[in-house]
Amino acid sequence: MFAIFCDKILFRYVKAILLVVSIVMVLFGYHATNLQIDASADSLLLEDDVDLALTKEVQKRYVNPSILVVTFKPNTDLLSDKSLQVIQEISDKLKAVQAVSSITSILNVPLLQSPVKPIKELVDDIPTLQTHKVDKKLVKKEFLNSVLYSKALVSEDFSTTAIVVNLKPTKPYIASDGMTKKEYLNNQKDKNHENISAIRDVLKSFEKSGEIRLGGVNMIADDLVTFVKNDLEIFGVLIVVLLIAVLYILFRQLRWVVLPLFISFVSIVLTSGTLAMMGLDITVVSSNFISLQLIMNISLIVHLIVKYNELLEISPEESNQILLYNTIKTMAKPSFFVVITTVAGFTSLLFSGIVPIENFGLIMSIGIVYSLVATFVLFPTILSLLKKQNIGNIKKQTFTTTIAIFVETYKSLIIVLSVLFVLFSITGARLIIVENSFIDYFKKDTAIYKGMKTIDQKLGGTTPLDIIITFKDTVAEYTTTTDEPIVEGFDDEFADDTNTAQSIEDYWFTEDKLQTVQKVHEYLESLEDIGKVNSLHTVATIGKLLNDDKPLDSLLFALLYKELPPKHKDILLNPYVDIEKNSLRVSARVLDSNPNLRRDELLKQIDKELSHIIDPKFESYKITNLLVIYNNMLQSLFDSQIKTIGVVILILFVMFLILFRSLKLSLVAIVANTAPVGVIFGFLGWFAIPLDMMTITIAAISIGIAVDNTIHYIHRFKVEYSLCGDYTKAMRNSHKSIGKAMSYTSVIITVGFAVLVMSNFVPTIYFGILTIVAMVMAILSDLFLLPVMLLLFKPLKTHR
C-alpha cells in the first residue's frame, strides 16, 4: 500500500503536488494575516469560574469606571504652584485624548477638612484646590490623614500623587452594527492601543518635570500584546538565524538548511491559517507556538535527513528515488507514533479547565499534525527534483559511539545517578509553590513593572479585593409615612410634602449596617497584606469629623446620599452602596509586591474571620474581584498538573503497548519518559520557580520531547537486535545511527529555546529555561538510562 502510494502518487505527480501545496499556502496564508493576539484579563482566567461571573456582576452594580493611573513625583513640593500647574497641564492634555472622559487628581477632589465645615454648609459648596482658595497646610494635612486620600491619592511621604484617568465606557457590541463580535473585539483592541500610545505621548512630554509612570488594566493588556508581538518578531528571526547556523554546522549542505526551514514555514502557515479560520486567538500562554512548532518540525525533518544520509552512505549506487522511498518507509512508522504520542501529551492540557492552556494544547496538536503531513509530503517530493548529493560531503560523527561505550562500561554509575535524580525530583516537587505575583511577570527595568511597583508600594496596592455584604431585611421595613422632616432644620429644603411615604434611601442606612461594614473595614485594614481599604465606613469616618465628632446617623447619610452632587457622589458613595440590591461593598487593594504574600492563605483567613464578624441570621457575604479569580486560577494549576501528568502517562503507556506490543518494553519506555518530567518538577521546587500558566505546560512539552527520542531509539534498537541478536551490539549500532539524529535534534531545540531567555516577559524566560532543561534531561535519559534498562531487563524476545 505504501509502495503504491509513493510510486503512483508521491513520485509521479511531484509538480502537481507542489502546485496544490502552493495554492493551499496562499489560501491559508491569507487567513493567517487575521490571526490576533488576546491579552485581556479574561484570557488568563478559569473557564466557567463562578467568581469571575460574580466579579463582572459587581462591577455593573457599583460605580466602577475603567481607569488608568498616572503616578507623578514632581521635582518640587507636591503642593507648590509649579507642581500644581504641571498637574493641571497633564490633566488638560490627557482630557484631550479621545478615550478619556475625565481626570481625578488632587486638583479636583472634594476637600472635606480644609477647613472642617458643617455638613449642611459643605453640601452646598464643596471646595477643591481648583475652585477655591484654600490653606495649603490644611490641604496637605487632609491628604496625609484623610482615610479617603492617604495611600490612595498621595503617598505617605507626600512625594507622589496619583492622577486617575477615567476612560469613556466601551460601546457594547451590537450585531446590527455590521461587524462580527470578533471584528468588534479586535477593533476595541486597536483603539485601546491607540489610546494608550496617545496617553504615553502626553506623559513623555512631562518627563523633565518629575518621575512619571503609567499603570492600569488596559495598559497591562496592551503591553502584553506588545511584548508578545515583539517576542514573535525578534525571537522568530533570531531562532531562524541560529537554526540556519546549526543546520549548516551539522550537515554542511545548503539543501539541509533550506529544506527544513521551508517545510517548517509551510506547516506554520497552515497552522496559523487554521487558527484564524477557527477564531482562536494567540494568548500569552500560546505566544511561543511558532517557535515551538518550528523547532519540533525541524527535529522531525532532521531524523529523515540523518536516515537519508545513512542510506546514501550504505548504498551510494542507489537512485535518489529509491533512497527517498526507503527513507520515508523506514521513518514513517516511528514518526507517526512520535506525532500521535506528542499530540496526546498536548491534548492532555485540555483537562486543565483554563482557557489559554486548553487552547495552547489544541494549537500545538494541530501544528504537530500539520508538521507530520508537510514533512512526509514535501521532503520526498522536493528532494526528488534535486540531484543526489555527493557522499563525500556527508558529515560523519562518532561521539555517540563513545557514549555507547560509556553506557556499556558504567551501568551501575548511571543507575546510581538516576536514583539521585529521582531523589532530587521528589524532594523538589514537595517544594513547588502555587503562588506568583503578577508584577513579577515583568523585568524590573520595564515601564510596566516600575508603574505597578509605584502604585503598589506608595499608593495603596494593586490587586483589587471586594467584600460584598448583603442584608436580609426587606424594602418594606424602610418604608414609612411621616409628617416629620427627615433631618431637623431641613424640612423646607429636603423633605417632601408631609403625610407622604418616604423613599427607601431615607431609612436604609441603619445603625446595624454601619456597624457591620465598620467591623469588616477595620478587620481588612489590620491585615499586613492589605493596602488601601475603602467603603461606606470611609465616608462615616470623614462624616464624624464634620459632625462635631458625632457619628453620622441614618438620616444624615440619607441627606448625603440624596443631596451630594453626582460627581462627588460617584467618588464617596456610589462605589460602595447598592440600595436596590440591599448590599454594601468593602473595596480593598492587596500589596502584590509583598514577597511573603500567600493569596490562598490570605483568602482562607479572611473567609474564616468574616464568618465570625458577619451574623448569618441578618446578612451574608461574598469575597470577589481579581484577587479571588486569579487565586482560583493559580490553585487549579496544581490539580491540573496532576491530572495532566496522569492522563499523559496513561495515554503514552497505551501507545507504547500498541507500538511495541510488549508490556516489559512499554514499562521501560515509560520510565525513560517520566524521568525528565520528574527532574522538571525538582527544578521548579528547588529553584523556587512558581507554578503558573506558562510553567504548567512544560510537563506536556518535556514528555513530547522525550517521547520523540524514546520511540525513535527503541524502534531502531529493535531493528538492530533483530539483525544481530546481541543487546550490546544493538545498543552500539543504535547509538551510532539514531543516536546521532537524537543528538542533532537536541542541539537544535536547545539552541532555539535559548533565545527566549532574552524576553521582557518573565514567564517566557522560564519557558525557555525549563524547555532547555527538559531537552537536556530527555537526551540524557534516552542515551544513557534507556539503553542501560534495555541491557539489564532485556525486554525483547530472544533472538533465534
Side-chain angles (χ1 to χ4, degrees):
M1 181 71 179
F2 186 78
I4 294 174
F5 171 75
C6 291
D7 185 53
K8 300 294 185 182
I9 300 176
L10 203 57
F11 293 125
R12 177 171 292 189
Y13 300 106
V14 172
K15 293 181 180 179
I17 290 173
L18 293 177
L19 177 62
V20 171
V21 170
S22 300
I23 295 172
V24 172
M25 276 283 290
V26 171
L27 175 63
F28 279 68
Y30 169 76
H31 287 285
T33 58
N34 296 320
L35 190 60
Q36 297 291 325
I37 298 173
D38 182 9
S40 64
D42 288 357
S43 73
L44 304 176
L45 304 173
L46 277 174
E47 186 177 21
D48 301 325
D49 186 351
V50 293
D51 289 309
L52 175 59
L54 175 61
T55 297
K56 290 181 176 180
E57 179 193 340
V58 168
Q59 289 174 344
K60 291 178 182 178
R61 284 165 46 189
Y62 296 88
V63 170
N64 199 51
S66 179
I67 65 169
L68 292 170
V69 178
V70 176
T71 66
F72 180 53
K73 183 180 181 181
N75 296 328
T76 57
D77 183 77
L78 193 57
L79 291 180
S80 69
D81 292 340
K82 186 175 181 181
S83 295
L84 295 177
Q85 182 182 352
V86 172
I87 294 172
Q88 183 64 61
E89 290 174 2
I90 293 173
S91 301
D92 291 340
K93 288 193 175 184
L94 287 175
K95 280 191 283 189
V97 176
Q98 186 177 6
V100 176
S101 63
S102 63
I103 302 293
T104 302
S105 71
I106 59 174
L107 294 175
N108 60 6
V109 292
L111 299 175
L112 307 177
Q113 301 167 239
S114 302
V116 174
K117 296 180 181 179
I119 293 178
K120 166 83 168 56
E121 185 179 337
L122 193 65
V123 169
D124 289 338
D125 184 26
I126 299 178
T128 69
L129 271 172
Q130 200 171 43
T131 60
H132 292 65
K133 260 195 166 185
V134 290
D135 187 340
K136 288 185 179 179
K137 290 183 179 179
L138 291 177
V139 172
K140 181 177 180 178
K141 184 179 179 181
E142 176 173 355
F143 280 143
L144 285 174
N145 297 300
S146 169
V147 292
L148 192 61
Y149 303 134
S150 177
K151 292 194 299 183
L153 197 64
V154 297
S155 60
E156 287 183 293
D157 60 3
F158 207 66
S159 65
T160 306
T161 184
I163 302 172
V164 181
V165 182
N166 300 300
L167 302 175
K168 294 176 182 176
T170 303
K171 182 182 176 183
Y173 170 70
I174 302 174
S176 59
D177 284 349
M179 286 191 295
T180 64
K181 190 168 185 179
K182 184 80 173 177
E183 291 171 336
Y184 164 80
L185 292 174
N186 291 336
N187 184 52
Q188 290 300 318
K189 280 187 283 187
D190 291 340
K191 286 183 178 179
N192 182 56
H193 178 69
E194 292 173 3
N195 294 327
I196 297 295
S197 298
I199 290 171
R200 280 197 163 123
D201 287 341
V202 169
L203 300 182
K204 192 173 182 180
S205 62
F206 291 95
E207 287 179 347
K208 293 182 179 180
S209 301
E211 184 182 284
I212 194 162
R213 313 281 189 206
L214 179 65
V217 174
N218 288 30
M219 185 213 69
I220 293 172
D222 184 68
D223 277 5
L224 281 176
V225 171
T226 302
F227 285 163
V228 170
K229 285 183 176 179
N230 288 342
D231 285 356
L232 289 174
E233 294 171 2
I234 298 173
F235 296 157
V237 173
L238 283 175
I239 288 173
V240 169
V241 171
L242 286 173
L243 290 179
I244 289 172
V246 171
L247 288 170
Y248 187 77
I249 291 171
L250 293 176
F251 297 110
R252 306 288 182 179
Q253 285 283 319
L254 186 60
R255 68 172 62 187
W256 300 137
V257 175
V258 176
L259 184 61
L261 291 175
F262 175 74
I263 294 174
S264 299
F265 174 72
V266 170
S267 67
I268 289 171
V269 170
L270 293 176
T271 303
S272 301
T274 301
L275 299 180
M277 287 186 278
M278 293 174 63
L280 282 176
D281 287 341
I282 301 302
T283 65
V284 172
V285 178
S286 56
S287 61
N288 293 310
F289 91 93
I290 292 179
S291 300
L292 190 58
Q293 185 177 348
L294 172 65
I295 293 168
M296 297 184 80
N297 199 162
I298 287 180
S299 300
L300 182 63
I301 298 167
V302 165
H303 280 286
L304 269 65
I305 295 173
V306 171
K307 186 63 183 178
Y308 176 86
N309 287 339
E310 181 186 329
L311 293 174
L312 178 60
E313 185 178 4
I314 295 171
S315 306
E317 73 284 352
E318 292 285 6
S319 67
N320 195 33
Q321 184 169 316
I322 292 177
L323 289 173
L324 289 170
Y325 169 76
N326 289 332
T327 298
I328 59 177
K329 180 182 178 182
T330 304
M331 299 304 297
K333 185 177 179 181
S335 297
F336 173 77
F337 274 95
V338 161
V339 168
I340 292 300
T341 48
T342 304
V343 167
F346 280 112
T347 53
S348 67
L349 296 176
L350 298 176
F351 292 90
S352 70
I354 303 172
V355 176
I357 294 176
E358 291 176 350
N359 287 346
F360 176 66
L362 179 60
I363 289 168
M364 287 310 304
S365 299
I366 294 171
I368 291 170
V369 171
Y370 275 132
S371 295
L372 177 69
V373 174
T375 298
F376 276 84
V377 170
L378 294 176
F379 184 88
T381 52
I382 293 175
L383 281 181
S384 67
L385 298 174
L386 304 177
K387 292 181 180 180
K388 187 170 59 174
Q389 72 181 93
N390 188 338
I391 189 173
N393 289 331
I394 298 176
K395 183 172 177 63
K396 299 180 181 179
Q397 294 283 0
T398 58
F399 66 93
T400 50
T401 303
T402 304
I403 295 175
I405 295 171
F406 182 90
V407 169
E408 181 184 351
T409 308
Y410 299 102
K411 299 186 194 70
S412 299
L413 177 61
I414 292 172
I415 293 297
V416 171
L417 290 174
S418 298
V419 171
L420 291 178
F421 274 120
V422 169
L423 293 176
F424 171 83
S425 304
I426 294 173
T427 54
R430 294 168 63 88
L431 301 175
I432 290 178
I433 55 173
V434 187
E435 189 67 62
N436 204 4
S437 170
F438 195 71
I439 194 173
D440 290 331
Y441 280 171
F442 308 95
K443 284 186 175 179
K444 294 182 179 180
D445 60 348
T446 58
I448 188 171
Y449 179 91
K450 293 175 181 177
M452 290 175 67
K453 186 174 181 180
T454 300
I455 295 171
D456 198 63
Q457 295 185 348
K458 291 192 172 185
L459 296 171
T462 49
T463 309
L465 169 69
D466 287 342
I467 311 297
I468 306 300
I469 307 168
T470 303
F471 301 92
K472 296 183 178 180
D473 46 14
T474 62
V475 173
E477 295 178 42
Y478 308 124
T479 305
T480 183
T481 301
T482 179
D483 55 4
E484 297 295 327
I486 301 173
V487 180
E488 186 177 352
F490 297 105
D491 51 314
D492 293 332
E493 190 169 357
F494 300 120
D496 294 326
D497 293 335
T498 57
N499 298 316
T500 58
Q502 301 296 333
S503 64
I504 185 175
E505 293 92 342
D506 295 334
Y507 297 97
W508 190 84
F509 296 90
T510 64
E511 185 177 347
D512 289 340
K513 289 186 176 71
L514 299 176
Q515 287 180 351
T516 298
V517 77
Q518 177 181 352
K519 291 176 184 177
V520 174
H521 183 113
E522 291 177 347
Y523 166 68
L524 291 178
E525 281 188 326
S526 70
L527 298 176
E528 181 183 356
D529 296 320
I530 299 294
K532 189 65 180 175
V533 181
N534 280 317
S535 70
L536 187 62
H537 179 62
T538 307
V539 181
T541 303
I542 297 171
K544 184 179 179 182
L545 293 173
L546 304 178
N547 196 36
D548 295 327
D549 208 31
K550 298 176 183 177
L552 297 185
D553 59 20
S554 176
L555 299 181
L556 280 173
F557 264 112
L559 168 67
L560 288 173
Y561 190 84
K562 296 174 74 172
E563 300 301 330
L564 269 179
K567 63 178 181 178
H568 297 316
K569 187 176 178 181
D570 283 347
I571 296 174
L572 298 172
L573 291 173
N574 288 342
Y576 317 111
V577 177
D578 183 2
I579 294 178
E580 183 181 346
K581 296 291 184 180
N582 205 22
S583 64
L584 290 171
R585 174 192 184 201
V586 181
S587 178
R589 283 183 282 148
V590 176
L591 302 175
D592 202 53
S593 60
N594 182 358
N596 298 318
L597 174 63
R598 295 294 178 264
R599 290 168 184 78
D600 195 51
E601 294 177 13
L602 175 63
L603 287 171
K604 287 178 179 177
Q605 177 188 350
I606 292 173
D607 186 49
K608 181 180 178 181
E609 292 301 322
L610 288 182
S611 66
H612 297 304
I613 293 173
I614 293 185
D615 190 341
K617 293 181 181 178
F618 305 105
E619 55 233 359
S620 61
Y621 70 92
K622 288 184 178 180
I623 307 173
T624 185
N625 217 322
L626 186 58
L627 181 72
V628 177
I629 53 184
Y630 184 58
N631 181 68
N632 288 349
M633 183 275 294
L634 287 176
Q635 296 308 314
S636 73
L637 290 176
F638 187 77
D639 293 336
S640 172
Q641 184 73 89
I642 299 302
K643 286 192 292 184
T644 296
I645 296 300
V647 171
V648 170
I649 292 175
L650 179 62
I651 292 174
L652 286 184
F653 185 67
V654 173
M655 292 288 185
F656 287 152
L657 284 174
I658 296 172
L659 176 60
F660 302 133
R661 300 184 181 181
S662 166
L663 177 62
K664 202 172 184 181
L665 188 56
S666 298
L667 289 172
V668 168
I670 280 292
V671 171
N673 272 273
T674 53
V677 181
V679 173
I680 289 294
F681 285 140
F683 194 86
L684 286 171
W686 280 112
F687 289 90
I689 298 175
L691 196 63
D692 60 21
M693 287 185 297
M694 296 291 281
T695 54
I696 191 179
T697 62
I698 297 299
I701 292 171
S702 59
I703 287 180
I705 292 171
V707 76
D708 185 334
N709 291 333
T710 301
I711 290 177
H712 279 298
Y713 188 90
I714 292 178
H715 184 268
R716 185 53 182 258
F717 189 92
K718 289 177 68 178
V719 171
E720 295 294 341
Y721 181 74
S722 68
L723 294 175
C724 66
D726 182 89
Y727 274 90
T728 301
K729 189 174 181 180
M731 184 267 293
R732 287 181 178 178
N733 291 339
S734 297
H735 269 64
K736 183 179 179 181
S737 54
I738 198 66
K740 186 194 302 183
M742 290 161 56
S743 302
Y744 287 177
T745 59
S746 299
V747 171
I748 290 170
I749 292 174
T750 301
V751 170
F753 279 96
V755 175
L756 300 183
V757 300
M758 294 185 291
S759 174
N760 280 323
F761 191 50
V762 174
T764 297
I765 297 173
Y766 284 151
F767 184 83
I769 293 173
L770 292 173
T771 304
I772 291 171
V773 172
M775 187 65 257
V776 171
M777 294 312 305
I779 191 64
L780 291 177
S781 178
D782 286 319
L783 287 183
F784 290 89
L785 179 60
L786 177 58
V788 165
M789 290 191 293
L790 290 172
L791 293 177
L792 291 178
F793 296 109
K794 295 180 169 53
L796 302 179
K797 292 181 180 179
T798 304
H799 181 74
R800 295 179 182 177

